[in-house]
């Protein structure tokens, strides 16, 4: 069974000496299983290691195969703070621009 390595990075945190690299890895059946694991990993990191003093967290994971090639990447941006439906997110977080879709349409990030 192939082994995949999940390198998690938090943009607001100084990396540890030697980097934040997965040196152990996880045996999974294929790349699709590694992708699913990466998508589940980021919310788990945000939940297990809450940083209430930060209004914004930018978590990323790079998945490497046994040869060191990056086979997948995912990103989770968490914006926390008080919200006002008319003013957007406050308390130091910056509002994100609308999300552009490849077909040219635009989706507002506001509810």
């Amino acid at each position: 069974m192939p082994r995949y390595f999940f390198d998690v990075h938090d943009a607001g945190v100084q990396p540890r000496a030697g980097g934040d690299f997965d040196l152990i890895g996880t045996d999974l059946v294929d790349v699709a299983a590694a992708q699913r694991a990466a998508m589940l990993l980021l919310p788990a990191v945000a939940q297990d290691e809450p940083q209430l003093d930060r209004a914004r967290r930018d978590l990323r994971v790079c998945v490497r195969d046994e040869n060191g090639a990056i086979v997948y990447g995912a990103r989770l941006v968490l914006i926390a703070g008080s919200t006002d439906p008319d003013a957007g997110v406050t308390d130091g977080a910056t509002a994100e621009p609308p999300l552009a879709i490849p077909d040219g349409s635009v989706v507002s990030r506001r509810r």
Side-chain angles (χ1 to χ4, degrees), residues 4-9 28 30-42 60-65 68-76:
Y4 296 92
F5 300 85
F6 297 82
D7 303 329
V8 178
H9 308 280
L28 296 165
D30 57 17
V31 173
Q35 292 171 343
R36 284 189 296 277
M39 293 298 289
L40 295 171
L41 177 61
L42 291 178
R60 299 169 192 237
V61 62
C62 289
V63 182
R64 295 178 288 118
D65 65 12
I70 296 174
V71 296
Y72 187 71
R75 178 180 182 194
L76 175 69

Side-chain angles (χ1 to χ4, degrees), residues 64-84:
R64 295 178 288 118
D65 65 12
E66 295 168 305
N67 298 317
I70 296 174
V71 296
Y72 187 71
R75 178 180 182 194
L76 175 69
V77 177
L78 176 67
I79 300 173
S82 300
T83 58
D84 175 344

Side-chain angles (χ1 to χ4, degrees), residues 15-27:
R16 293 179 291 222
D20 289 325
F21 298 103
D22 178 0
L23 301 176
I24 299 169
T26 303
D27 293 331

Side-chain angles (χ1 to χ4, degrees), residues 89-110:
V89 178
T90 60
D91 291 346
T94 57
E96 294 290 325
L99 184 63
I101 306 300
D103 68 4
S105 59
V106 174
V107 176
S108 173
R109 293 178 194 232
R110 280 190 174 177

